[in-house]
Amino acid sequence: MDLSQIVEEIVAAMRDADDRGTVANYIPELAGIDPAQFGIAIVMADGRMIAGGDADTGFSIQSISKVFALTLALGKVGDQLWERVGREPSGNAFNSIVQLEQEKGVPRNPFINAGAIVVADVNLGGHQPRVAIGEMLRFIRYLAEDDGIAINEAVAASETATGFRNIALANYMRAFGTVRHAADLVLGTYIHQCAIEMSCRQLALAGRYLMLDGMHPAGGRVIPPARARRINALMLTCGHYDASGDFAFRVGIPGKSGVGGGILAIVPGRASIAAWSPGLNANGNSQLGTRALEELARRTGWSVFSPTEGDA
Ligand code: GLU
């Protein structure tokens, strides 16, 4: 099977797709992005890169940053993190507040907004947001081996001016003690990590440690193998909000989406994949990104549920 051929065909099919979803408009700076774009990049375990479409165009990684933030927070406090955030799918929208009251301010998982705000609180660790953000940026640059990765300040400013739901979530959790810093400091961290801009190529490179059981391809270990497996498990069960079950059913590999239209997907031992198209489906996940990954998994046979995991 020729993977480049498959990628070319997927890119062509996505270029011609009619139903491209709707670009997120609750963050004003994202609302103007052209929905006609689609990109995909696949890094194989042997280092091969296969990319197509708008794979070099930068986009706002938004909630995909929650994967890197979780990795950093687990490095800081280890399993103590699980006293402040759960590990169950939420079945609710990404920015929902309803479960928090019933569950005493402990968010369901680190990939919904409430959980990611707790993770940002941990990463803040008594410092100013710029210290935590600097650490996050250095970490992502090290993972992707690319010092050009940066924050889009206009996106951060736009979300700072309009992110009232996230401010409410942070303040609400502060009342329970799951968030410990002032809301503006925690959100300063969270919003800037979401505003990091990357291309599909850069994102697929940054995800390699999750394909390689925690190793950095350039040598050395990023995280222990058990932690890499658990992050992948959370991506599979919680990476697509209330559509996580559907993504697992249709695609069958761990993935984390963001409202910028990106998805990072991991085939353990085989591939780190980034797909991007800005139009979202009703659950806030990339419409064409999901379709492309479904098609890719079907044609390669890649699946965490397959005994052979395909032969690509
Ligand atoms: N910054 C976005 C928010 O908090 C992230 C949501 C997402 O990407 O799903 O609303």
Side-chain angles (χ1 to χ4, degrees):
M1 179 194 44
D2 180 358
L3 194 52
S4 314
Q5 175 80 28
I6 293 178
V7 166
E8 249 173 59
E9 287 173 21
I10 290 175
V11 169
M14 297 307 135
R15 199 176 38 226
D16 296 340
D18 296 328
D19 187 5
R20 312 188 75 88
T22 312
V23 176
N25 56 12
Y26 75 101
I27 300 174
E29 192 64 26
L30 295 183
I33 309 254
D34 177 8
Q37 303 175 90
F38 171 83
I40 186 164
I42 305 172
V43 191
M44 305 296 289
D46 63 8
R48 252 185 320 148
M49 163 79 80
I50 301 108
D54 303 305
D56 290 305
T57 305
F59 59 89
S60 197
I61 66 168
Q62 291 296 321
S63 280
I64 303 168
S65 68
K66 294 170 182 173
V67 174
F68 306 116
L70 173 65
T71 306
L72 279 180
L74 286 170
K76 288 181 199 301
V77 298
D79 283 344
Q80 278 175 20
L81 181 71
W82 306 120
E83 292 162 18
R84 287 161 68 182
V85 59
R87 312 189 284 252
E88 293 292 343
S90 73
N92 279 318
F94 69 99
N95 56 6
S96 172
I97 200 165
V98 293
Q99 252 161 8
L100 271 181
E101 179 164 25
Q102 277 158 356
E103 300 182 359
K104 306 208 166 16
V106 178
R108 274 287 172 101
N109 67 66
F111 293 155
I112 52 172
N113 282 12
I117 289 168
V118 172
V119 169
D121 188 72
V122 169
N123 284 335
L124 196 50
H127 300 289
Q128 287 301 309
R130 67 185 150 73
V131 177
I133 284 300
E135 184 183 27
M136 168 79 72
L137 210 45
R138 276 194 302 280
F139 182 54
I140 291 180
R141 288 172 174 170
Y142 148 77
L143 293 174
E145 296 178 278
D146 188 336
D147 285 343
I149 296 167
I151 292 170
N152 182 325
E153 290 294 343
V155 171
S158 180
E159 195 171 356
T160 304
T162 56
F164 306 116
R165 289 187 77 108
N166 288 330
I167 295 170
L169 287 170
N171 277 319
Y172 195 59
M173 290 188 288
R174 207 169 174 210
F176 290 96
T178 35
V179 164
R180 296 175 185 167
H181 299 81
D184 60 331
L185 298 180
V186 185
L187 290 179
T189 308
Y190 171 74
I191 286 171
H192 282 83
Q193 81 180 43
C194 288
I196 291 173
E197 202 159 273
M198 292 167 87
S199 66
C200 287
R201 229 180 257 274
Q202 290 169 324
L203 185 57
L205 289 169
R208 291 173 297 178
Y209 73 111
L210 293 172
M211 142 176 84
L212 298 175
D213 227 14
M215 294 298 292
H216 194 297
R221 181 163 282 293
V222 182
I223 50 172
R227 186 165 293 162
R229 292 171 200 176
R230 286 176 159 179
I231 294 172
N232 281 330
L234 287 167
M235 286 169 71
L236 186 73
T237 53
C238 311
H240 281 72
Y241 309 121
D242 42 346
S244 298
D246 190 58
F247 187 85
F249 181 85
R250 285 170 60 189
V251 183
I253 56 178
K256 180 73 202 88
S257 73
V259 294
I263 302 177
L264 172 65
I266 305 295
V267 191
R270 288 204 174 263
S272 169
I273 310 160
W276 169 65
S277 185
L280 308 179
N281 62 24
N283 301 101
N285 301 310
S286 176
Q287 171 93 359
L288 294 189
T290 309
R291 236 186 86 189
L293 289 170
E294 183 177 13
E295 188 62 17
L296 181 68
R298 188 181 67 74
R299 296 198 48 189
T300 55
W302 289 342
S303 165
V304 291
F305 303 108
S306 155
T308 55
E309 275 190 21
D311 56 5

